[in-house]
Amino acid sequence: MIATPANQISKKAASPEGAYIHIPFCTHKCEFCDFAAFAGLIELEDEYCKILCSEIESRLAPRPEPISLRTIFYGGGTPGLIKPENIALIHSQLLKFAEIKSDGQPEIAMETTPHAITMEKAQAWLAIGINRLSIGIESLCDDELTAIGRDHTVAEALTGVKLAQQAGFKNISIDFMYGLPTQTITSWERTLDAALSLAKECPAIEHVSAYGLEIAKNSPLLSRFPRDSASYPSDDLCVQMYELLVAKLEENNYQQYEVSNFARPGFRSEHNLTYWRNAPYFAFGVGAHRYVDSVRSANLRSLKKYMRTPLADEVSENIDQAMFIKEGIMLGLRLLEGIDLQAFQASYGVDLLETQRSEIEFLCREKLLDLSDNKLKITRQGIPISNSIIARLI
Ligand code: SF4
């Protein structure tokens, strides 16, 4: 347990500089997906977007301080599926209550599936001001896409990315998953090689994310592939897949900056860095999670209930000083740059070397943590077991 000074003045109540907007509609519900994402309800799109606009006004209009945003992220669901006019409507509503910070380049990002991309839509997104597209590819093997219940093919994925670049996107992220049923180290290598060839053709692919599959309780995927199914790669194989991912991406100038994220220089996801730096952010839409005024809260996850009461909370938790520090450690160690101990002390009022010395020394001896230049980092060999390392420190 970390001792916390009672009179600590933290930075946690700073005004948010990021906003997340959740668009929950999808063409199809992927079998592994545990997000607030709904298929077959696109007829609710117009009404949902109007309600979301009313939520933005209700939450932002009463705030006393001027709101100035560095990042806006349209996530889902599949924001790319809905009419660009509705994205434009939400965007202009947000900009009625918040200005975009004028220093530096703001990041205005949107998620989409590849088969929702058309030339017309991509150009409309650019005209709205979206300057980063995050495309969920998941795998470049058709059998694996079928196994996890995606409703697009490899060919559609490649076409979608190329269209986005042709339309004029200069900052594209592509997302993958490993640890999938039927996946082997050979098929994963095929996906990575195909992704890197695509990146040669599409230099706008500046960012790659890859997450290990996590299956939620009651996931529909479990009915075809129960947890003990031999179709899943073993834990050891998943570690090999992860190592292959890191090696191939780094060889190709995608620098790892977070456990699951890689970018060419200058193209880290600024919005996601808000989360990892434990900074506050607004959020709007069904099931959206926010961190504002030292409170983490989430909107209702049921679409119908959210549309009736968009300001109601599904959960809400005051983040006290002890939790703030725990989160600072958990999130900070996900970043490859690690935790700057001096900056941590300035922000959180805790000298980790003093409070956690024996654990840190032990983990450094085991080569799972590295402490140099007053920065505490998880080592390459520590990353696959980062959760248990973090658990020892909090
Ligand atoms: S497209 Fe994305 S958000 Fe929609 S169901 Fe599939 S994984 Fe979930």
Side-chain angles (χ1 to χ4, degrees):
M1 175 65 78
I2 301 165
T4 64
N7 60 351
Q8 158 66 18
I9 300 168
S10 76
K11 292 183 179 168
K12 63 182 170 174
S15 184
E17 294 185 345
Y20 174 83
I21 290 146
H22 192 77
I23 306 293
F25 304 104
C26 289
T27 48
H28 163 90
K29 181 81 180 179
C30 304
E31 290 182 27
F32 59 88
C33 177
D34 193 34
F35 300 128
F38 310 99
L41 295 177
I42 196 73
E43 73 277 6
L44 297 177
E45 171 191 333
D46 292 347
E47 194 187 344
Y48 175 84
C49 292
K50 282 194 194 113
I51 291 168
L52 200 148
C53 286
S54 75
E55 186 200 350
I56 290 174
E57 177 164 8
S58 303
R59 293 193 187 278
L60 297 190
R63 290 192 69 81
E65 81 284 6
I67 299 164
S68 200
L69 299 174
R70 273 182 205 287
T71 66
I72 300 172
F73 192 99
Y74 292 90
T78 309
L81 184 63
I82 71 168
K83 290 176 261 183
E85 303 92 272
N86 275 328
I87 299 282
L89 181 80
I90 296 166
H91 201 63
S92 60
Q93 176 75 342
L94 190 58
L95 297 187
K96 272 190 214 158
F97 301 98
E99 59 164 28
I100 304 266
K101 269 200 186 298
S102 52
D103 56 326
Q105 164 80 325
E107 182 184 277
I108 304 178
M110 195 180 87
E111 284 183 328
T112 185
T113 50
H115 54 321
I117 302 171
T118 63
M119 180 59 76
E120 208 184 354
K121 273 191 188 168
Q123 286 170 343
W125 299 332
L126 285 161
I128 293 166
I130 311 283
N131 57 18
R132 181 177 192 271
L133 207 57
S134 174
I135 306 175
I137 306 281
E138 315 315 348
S139 166
L140 287 170
C141 294
D142 278 318
D143 293 352
E144 291 166 13
L145 292 172
T146 306
I148 57 173
R150 294 287 283 185
D151 70 340
H152 63 82
T153 60
V154 169
E156 286 171 318
L158 301 178
T159 303
V161 176
K162 290 176 195 170
L163 265 178
Q165 175 171 281
Q166 279 163 21
F169 275 95
K170 297 197 164 38
N171 183 1
I172 296 174
S173 177
I174 51 176
D175 290 12
F176 293 96
M177 294 171 76
Y178 59 92
L180 305 179
T182 77
Q183 196 173 40
T184 62
I185 192 81
T186 313
S187 69
W188 177 232
E189 185 161 20
R190 240 185 355 253
T191 283
L192 291 172
D193 288 342
L196 291 166
S197 318
L198 178 64
K200 287 208 170 75
E201 218 180 312
C202 295
I205 300 175
E206 300 284 8
H207 189 280
V208 179
S209 302
Y211 291 90
L213 174 69
E214 283 181 20
I215 312 173
K217 213 171 124 195
N218 304 327
S219 165
L221 191 63
L222 294 171
S223 63
R224 284 191 298 124
F225 298 103
R227 281 184 200 278
D228 57 0
S229 161
S231 296
Y232 294 105
S234 65
D235 289 350
D236 284 350
L237 199 53
C238 286
V239 171
Q240 283 179 44
M241 287 177 176
Y242 182 76
E243 286 167 351
L244 189 64
L245 164 79
V246 174
K248 287 217 176 246
L249 289 180
E250 293 218 323
E251 266 165 33
N252 286 275
N253 197 27
Y254 291 97
Q255 294 162 2
Q256 187 176 21
Y257 67 100
E258 194 269 345
V259 171
S260 304
N261 285 277
F262 304 79
R264 289 196 182 127
F267 288 92
R268 296 173 177 205
S269 164
E270 290 299 324
H271 185 81
N272 288 340
L273 281 166
T274 303
Y275 304 146
W276 300 318
R277 289 181 176 145
N278 206 11
Y281 53 93
F282 296 111
F284 310 95
V286 58
H289 288 244
R290 68 186 58 75
Y291 183 25
V292 177
D293 300 336
S294 307
V295 178
R296 287 194 186 273
S297 61
N299 288 349
L300 297 174
R301 258 185 83 102
S302 148
L303 184 59
K304 281 198 179 139
K305 288 185 188 164
Y306 165 79
M307 288 174 72
R308 276 200 300 270
T309 50
L311 298 179
D313 287 337
E314 179 90 35
V315 289
S316 176
E317 184 189 9
N318 270 303
I319 302 300
D320 63 14
Q321 188 65 15
M323 181 55 81
F324 182 52
I325 293 167
K326 272 190 189 180
E327 289 182 341
I329 297 171
M330 273 190 301
L331 295 164
L333 285 179
R334 289 190 65 92
L335 290 171
L336 276 272
E337 69 193 20
I339 294 175
D340 181 313
L341 294 174
Q342 203 174 342
F344 193 92
Q345 186 165 7
S347 293
Y348 295 83
V350 168
D351 180 350
L352 284 182
L353 258 193
E354 193 184 302
T355 56
Q356 308 298 96
R357 181 173 294 279
S358 61
E359 287 295 347
I360 290 174
E361 283 176 355
F362 169 77
L363 292 164
C364 286
R365 272 199 307 279
E366 296 295 308
K367 300 200 175 355
L368 298 172
L369 279 183
D370 173 66
L371 177 62
S372 45
D373 299 332
N374 214 31
K375 284 199 171 163
L376 189 62
K377 299 178 199 168
I378 291 198
T379 60
R380 293 267 176 216
Q381 86 190 65
I383 288 176
I385 54 160
S386 57
N387 287 347
S388 47
I389 295 172
I390 291 167
R392 291 188 74 123
L393 290 172
I394 61 178

